[in-house]
Amino acid sequence: SSYFEHLKTNPHSLITKVLGFHRVQMYHLNRTVYFVVMTNVYRGARRVITRQYDLKGSTVGRSARAGEQVRKDNDLVADRFKLHLGHNRPAVLDQLRRDARFMCD
């Protein structure tokens, strides 16, 4: 599929890498649970993560409630968040463009 081709040809892609879709049947509870296994975006982080955002690309209902640790889309704007890429900026922006082009196709 083109998803796998994109990830194979773009090893530094920022698109979430899906490892598998699974189903667990719990007969004793008469219930089936479906889940997705994805790579951890924080693995190998060299800095301490002080804030986390759960971004969906929407503003509807996307503000964290009081006491919630993980911020959301509207909070990112309200916090006036800026991402400093340093010397990696050209490479990251190039990868973002390739990922965005792939997602639009």
Side-chain angles (χ1 to χ4, degrees), residues 32-71:
T32 302
V33 176
Y34 298 89
F35 61 96
V36 179
V37 176
M38 299 178 277
T39 55
N40 183 342
V41 297
Y42 300 116
R43 188 178 142 253
R46 294 184 197 150
R47 296 183 181 210
V48 175
I49 298 165
T50 58
R51 271 185 277 174
Q52 289 183 345
Y53 291 89
D54 174 19
L55 303 175
K56 304 283 191 226
S58 174
T59 57
V60 178
R62 299 298 301 155
S63 297
R65 295 186 189 114
E68 283 186 328
Q69 296 281 19
V70 178
R71 316 279 287 148

Side-chain angles (χ1 to χ4, degrees), residues 46-47 83-94:
R46 294 184 197 150
R47 296 183 181 210
L83 185 61
H84 301 281
L85 301 174
H87 70 281
N88 291 327
R89 180 182 170 86
V92 172
L93 292 178
D94 180 56

